[in-house]
Amino acid sequence: MAAGELLPLVVAVPLLGSAVLVAAGRRLTRIAADALGAAFAAGTVALCVFALIGVLEGPAVAWAGGWRPKDGLGVGIALVGDPLGVGLAALASVVTVAAFVYSWRYLEEPPPRHAGGFPALLLLFQAGMCGFTLTGDLFNAFVFFELMSVVAYALTGYRVEEPRPLQGALAFGIVNSLGGYCMLLGIALLYARTGELGMAQIGRALGTGEPDALVLAAFVLVMTGLLIKAAAVPFHFWLPDAHAVAPTPVCMVLSGVMVELGVYGAARVYWTVFAGPGGVSHSSCTRTLLVIGVATAVLGAAMCWQQRHLKRLLAFSTIGHVGLFLIGVAVLTPEGVSGTALYVLGHAGAKAALFACVGILLARYGSVDEYELYGRGRELRLVGVLFGVGALALAGVPPFGTGLGKAVAEEAAGQQAPWLPAVFVLVSAVTGGAVLRAGLRVFGGAGPRPPAEKADGEPETSGAEEEPETGDRLGRVPGTMLAVPVALLAGALAVGVLPGFAAAVGAAGDHFADHTGYLGTVLGSGSALSHVSASPHWTAAGVVLDLVSTALAIGCAALAVWRPGRTGHPGASGWWTPIRRMQSGHIGDYVAWALAGVALLAVLTVPGMLL
Amino acid sequence: MSVLPYLAAGWIFLIGVYGLVTSRNLIHAVGCLTVTQSSTYVLLVAIGYRRGGTAPVFSDLPPGARVVDPVVQALALTDIVVGATVTALLLALVVQLRKRHGTVDPDKLAELRG
């Protein structure tokens, strides 16, 4: 079967699976429903892998209903499988399978006759993510964007008996829906200008002439939608609230894949739609994404360091890393894209594994508070080791995939501005260090016991007194819940060490950053790759910088644990209190920030274009 | 064609966002989100307008008759479906929040901060 014919199946199989589970869910026992869901998700993984092998030689296109364009004109809607898109679909599917396996012994027993609900939602989520990575049509991108968003709101608020998940899901839902509508407004403006909805077709129409205010407005609006999904500053406020309260298996997918899809969407739309002369100039796009990326990375890392709620800590570290991913794609080179892709793959494994470890803590102790859990994790030696390895992987220790991706993206960014590698090193060191600090305290009982009570009047979410998502507290940790983080970390390691893997991602980056090649593939006028860059590999400088960030992470963690007086313990008042107050938990504030973000995007994009 | 529909779309978007920012009631906030979304309907339909065009239903029209753009109307329909889903889900969350938390005032929901 040709790769092109597999593409629709990658979206259709999980959709079918969720329909089957909804229809038959009432009669199925929980084990049967979970096994059926996992089988559909795993089947999609297999389809993705076959499609990926097929598209490694060159992207494939599937026209829905066989409506191919004739002489470059057509009304068909395409799914476009380039190696990077299909690879991300594979990643989304793999993490979904991991979430299935983890949730099997984790989530509370569903009420009788409702066993199909959770697996059906998870499959629908997977279908939305796969569709978003494969679509070649801007309006369909919006529909898949909304599909995965709506399912994600429902999954975040899955535990409807508790107030906190509801609150997080509402903030998530309102802010992301607003982003979706901004994106739709932008798509409508592009349709008004070009009369097309396909990414390649719009890109062709914007291939001549000068950029004007309409195209710029469309760029700002579409980017707003995608950057809200990517939780870039100042659109990021929803993410910690949602990721801190979602059930742990869902967090694995949200933090590991969905947020990164926002970055993917922004890069994809730029390269296919706006990269022509009638679109937005490279320098404008680089400036916009770079400013936002650096702000996101720094703020995410700083906020990550302040957290004691372990899930919130991991959520803020995701924001920090999203900033780094944005910097990686902002330089608009194939090397930047492939470095970021490797980084995303490694990060997904490490982050999902860390969430899995935190889930075990929550299930066993009914708390995710770093201070309250002090020393209590000593009995969970294996989980502690996994948590520590995950923290180091987050800091970019070689030979993990995060280290390789960070090194490659760093080098690409360094060619844009020599100080950018320092941002990579600092942000990965601080986020890795924060996780390591929490691990040392919880699993090692290291340093003096931190004060367990909440500081009065401080803006803080402690994470104590959480309801375990297992229903009852776990006595023994089930094997599946341990196997999942082990497998995920092994995956993150494999990204860095498997020979040939990095070369394949390098080729994927070349295809991704090839504007004319993409248009040629979709519109049927040939698709020779215009630029072949050196495949990403470990360099001495990259390894040294990775080791520096790892050492810094260990140093930060050790200093914070053993000399808390000197680094100031998180939660104490300090210069960052105003920044923490911005995370107010108030939906109106978040919307106001998003609107300010639209203005910021416009200010960053417009100069140098119209003058 | 006149610029007025585009201004109207922008205005609807902005008043919806204003309502969201200042809302004191989550049901009202979800309503404001729907208002914001209405701006996309207005924009889409305005883009497809052609002077003198009629509805694009060809069963009782001669071939070649002047009609408005049917594509944007299909988009608006899809958009309405998406909007209905989002609104229903968010309202269900608000109802549940009222049951568990006893309030729909966003100012009183302050468990997730910092």
Side-chain angles (χ1 to χ4, degrees), chain A residues 357-456:
Chain A
C357 293
V358 172
I360 294 174
L361 288 175
L362 176 56
R364 203 171 158 87
Y365 304 112
S367 166
V368 287
D369 181 6
E370 179 187 334
Y371 297 176
E372 199 191 50
L373 286 172
Y374 172 81
R376 290 171 75 181
R378 261 182 285 213
E379 54 192 26
L380 301 169
R381 206 163 293 156
L382 178 58
V383 184
V385 170
L386 289 173
F387 195 82
V389 172
L392 291 177
L394 212 56
V397 68
F400 274 92
T402 41
L404 178 59
K406 173 170 154 290
V408 177
E410 226 162 45
E411 198 188 332
Q415 285 168 358
Q416 177 73 33
W419 52 272
L420 283 175
V423 176
F424 276 83
V425 170
L426 280 179
V427 168
S428 50
V430 171
T431 53
V435 179
L436 205 57
R437 178 199 73 201
L440 282 173
R441 283 205 176 121
V442 173
F443 295 102
R449 175 180 287 275
E453 74 279 2
K454 217 165 137 176
D456 264 348

Side-chain angles (χ1 to χ4, degrees), chain B residues 41-65:
Chain B
Y41 310 149
V42 175
L43 183 71
L44 282 168
V45 173
I47 283 168
Y49 179 76
R50 287 175 80 196
R51 195 170 288 278
T54 178
V57 183
F58 279 97
S59 58
D60 51 356
L61 283 179

Side-chain angles (χ1 to χ4, degrees), chain A residues 45-465:
Chain A
V45 174
L47 285 171
C48 287
V49 170
F50 282 123
L52 194 55
I53 293 168
V55 300
L56 276 180
E57 288 127 43
V61 186
W63 291 95
W67 291 86
R68 303 175 163 281
K70 246 182 183 169
D71 307 323
L73 292 174
V75 295
I77 299 170
L79 286 178
V80 183
D82 74 327
L84 202 101
V86 180
L88 271 178
L91 174 71
S93 304
V94 167
V95 179
T96 309
V97 172
F100 265 118
V101 175
Y102 189 82
S103 64
W104 179 45
R105 298 293 299 277
Y106 184 70
L107 280 182
E108 200 175 344
E109 198 67 32
R113 296 168 66 81
H114 283 84
F118 183 77
L121 279 173
L122 212 49
L123 281 174
L124 206 55
F125 193 26
Q126 184 190 11
M129 291 189 292
C130 289
F132 187 72
T133 59
L134 296 183
T135 184
D137 183 276
L138 213 45
F139 187 74
N140 273 19
F142 163 75
V143 174
F144 283 125
F145 177 100
E146 285 288 340
L147 176 61
M148 69 175 170
S149 301
V150 172
V151 182
Y153 315 152
L155 282 170
T156 302
Y158 183 71
R159 290 176 300 144
V160 288
E161 303 299 314
E162 287 171 62
R164 270 178 283 214
L166 293 170
Q167 208 176 317
L170 267 170
F172 183 15
I174 288 183
V175 175
N176 272 258
S177 302
L178 192 68
Y181 303 147
C182 284
M183 185 173 162
L184 182 60
L185 288 174
I187 294 169
L189 293 183
L190 284 173
Y191 179 78
R193 160 52 46 91
T194 62
E196 302 278 7
L197 287 169
M199 294 188 197
Q201 289 90 328
I202 301 176
R204 180 180 55 188
L206 295 180
T208 52
E210 292 279 306
D212 56 15
L214 188 66
V215 174
L216 283 184
F219 177 78
V220 168
L221 286 167
V222 172
M223 283 293 159
T224 301
L226 294 165
L227 289 178
I228 284 182
K229 175 99 321 198
V233 169
F235 306 113
H236 67 283
F237 293 99
W238 63 269
L239 183 141
D241 292 3
H243 289 202
V245 296
T248 306
V250 178
C251 288
M252 291 161 61
V253 191
L254 288 180
S255 244
V257 189
M258 188 195 75
V259 178
E260 286 74 7
L261 287 186
V263 179
Y264 161 83
R268 166 68 84 206
V269 167
Y270 180 75
W271 279 111
T272 55
V273 173
F274 292 103
V280 172
S281 71
H282 274 31
S283 60
S284 263
C285 180
T286 300
R287 179 175 52 231
T288 308
L289 291 183
L290 213 54
V291 169
I292 289 189
V294 171
T296 309
V298 171
L299 192 92
M303 288 293 288
C304 173
W305 185 255
Q306 312 301 323
Q307 301 302 316
R308 59 190 272 191
H309 185 295
L310 293 176
K311 277 180 156 183
R312 263 176 107 78
L313 187 147
L314 292 177
F316 275 112
S317 98
T318 300
I319 296 180
H321 279 92
V322 160
L324 298 183
F325 302 152
L326 279 172
I327 298 173
V329 298
V331 295
L332 297 178
T333 57
E335 292 83 1
V337 170
S338 40
T340 308
L342 284 167
Y343 208 171
V344 166
L345 291 173
H347 172 264
K351 187 57 61 67
L354 285 168
F355 267 114
C357 293
V358 172
I360 294 174
L361 288 175
L362 176 56
R364 203 171 158 87
Y365 304 112
S367 166
V368 287
D369 181 6
E370 179 187 334
Y371 297 176
E372 199 191 50
L373 286 172
Y374 172 81
R376 290 171 75 181
R378 261 182 285 213
E379 54 192 26
L380 301 169
R381 206 163 293 156
L382 178 58
V383 184
V385 170
L386 289 173
F387 195 82
V389 172
L392 291 177
L394 212 56
V397 68
F400 274 92
T402 41
L404 178 59
K406 173 170 154 290
V408 177
E410 226 162 45
E411 198 188 332
Q415 285 168 358
Q416 177 73 33
W419 52 272
L420 283 175
V423 176
F424 276 83
V425 170
L426 280 179
V427 168
S428 50
V430 171
T431 53
V435 179
L436 205 57
R437 178 199 73 201
L440 282 173
R441 283 205 176 121
V442 173
F443 295 102
R449 175 180 287 275
E453 74 279 2
K454 217 165 137 176
D456 264 348
E458 292 297 322
E460 181 160 65
T461 307
S462 72
E465 294 151 24

Side-chain angles (χ1 to χ4, degrees), chain A residues 161 163 191 307 461 583 586, chain B residues 69 79 100-101 107 113-114:
Chain A
E161 303 299 314
Y191 179 78
Q307 301 302 316
T461 307
Q583 189 77 37
H586 194 290
Chain B
D69 188 348
D79 191 14
R100 297 290 154 197
H101 219 293
D107 295 342
R113 289 190 304 150

